[in-house]
Amino acid sequence: MTDAAAKPAFPAMSIEQAHALLTAPGTMLEVGEAEVRGIRMKVWKNAPPTLREVFALGGMFAGRDHLVFEDERASIGAFRAAAAKFAHQLIADGVKPGDRVAVIMRNLPEWPVAFWGAVLAGAIATPLNAWWTGPELEYGLKNSGTSIAIMDVERYERVREHLDACPDLRKIYVSRSREEIADPRVSRMENVIGATNDWASLGDIAPPDVAFGPDTDVAIFYT
């Protein structure tokens, strides 16, 4: 017969006790108050203040696998190098803080590279729903005022006939295209960062030196 007294107590602690433990002074989730855009609210006092710091924290785990797609692999370090390099490219393309950079692709390793590249460049990353039709993607590009779009080749084929209707769009990066596309606005994403399995060869690339604040806008999601 099992001794009931030997069984561990369940639950081990109350919700209130767990909250107190997680938010204790000095912990990552310590709660305080701050003024955010004129409104006083509760905040996590010790949380990373911006996504740039969140990105930097990943460097502690650089050697771990991060992105896996079929026979493609990228470690956290390789991904960080690809994202930082793409951010530098976006700035070279004229992207300024607040510019909209659209990400339109299915779940591929290039998606987080495009998203974080836009964030690290100071742009507003603008993911559009990869299930959308051509006219819906046209709407998202026009409504957001996107200046640079990053998409996989399937999404490009879906929206290509609508691109001329997007007056703010000045450059497009396409991933997974096996050949150059005869459109002066289009470049292959791989020409900048290479293929997924090659990102490790990029080395250690520091992100661009772009000013961020805790209240800086970073994304518009079209679901």
Side-chain angles (χ1 to χ4, degrees), residues 75-107:
S75 67
I76 290 176
F79 152 75
R80 283 165 46 82
K85 184 169 184 180
F86 198 66
H88 284 288
Q89 180 61 51
L90 291 174
I91 290 176
D93 291 331
V95 168
K96 302 180 296 301
D99 285 354
R100 274 64 165 165
V101 173
V103 183
I104 319 170
M105 62 176 70
R106 63 189 178 93
N107 293 342

Side-chain angles (χ1 to χ4, degrees), residues 77-156:
F79 152 75
R80 283 165 46 82
K85 184 169 184 180
F86 198 66
H88 284 288
Q89 180 61 51
L90 291 174
I91 290 176
D93 291 331
V95 168
K96 302 180 296 301
D99 285 354
R100 274 64 165 165
V101 173
V103 183
I104 319 170
M105 62 176 70
R106 63 189 178 93
N107 293 342
L108 294 167
E110 292 87 353
W111 198 106
V113 170
F115 179 88
W116 278 100
V119 169
L120 295 171
I124 296 180
T126 308
L128 303 184
N129 193 327
W131 288 101
W132 272 0
T133 63
E136 288 171 323
L137 291 172
E138 176 189 326
Y139 166 81
L141 291 168
K142 293 169 67 175
N143 181 259
S144 62
T146 287
S147 58
I148 293 184
I150 307 135
M151 57 190 77
D152 58 39
V153 69
E154 291 89 353
R155 257 40 63 175
Y156 173 74

Side-chain angles (χ1 to χ4, degrees), residues 15-55:
I15 293 294
E16 290 76 14
Q17 290 172 319
H19 284 174
L21 184 64
L22 289 170
T23 61
T27 63
M28 178 71 82
L29 299 179
E30 179 183 355
V31 176
E33 285 193 355
E35 189 173 291
V36 179
R37 297 186 176 183
I39 301 174
R40 195 76 181 171
M41 60 178 63
K42 289 183 177 181
V43 298
W44 283 300
K45 291 177 61 175
N46 303 317
T50 73
L51 285 183
R52 186 182 181 92
E53 282 76 21
V54 173
F55 184 81

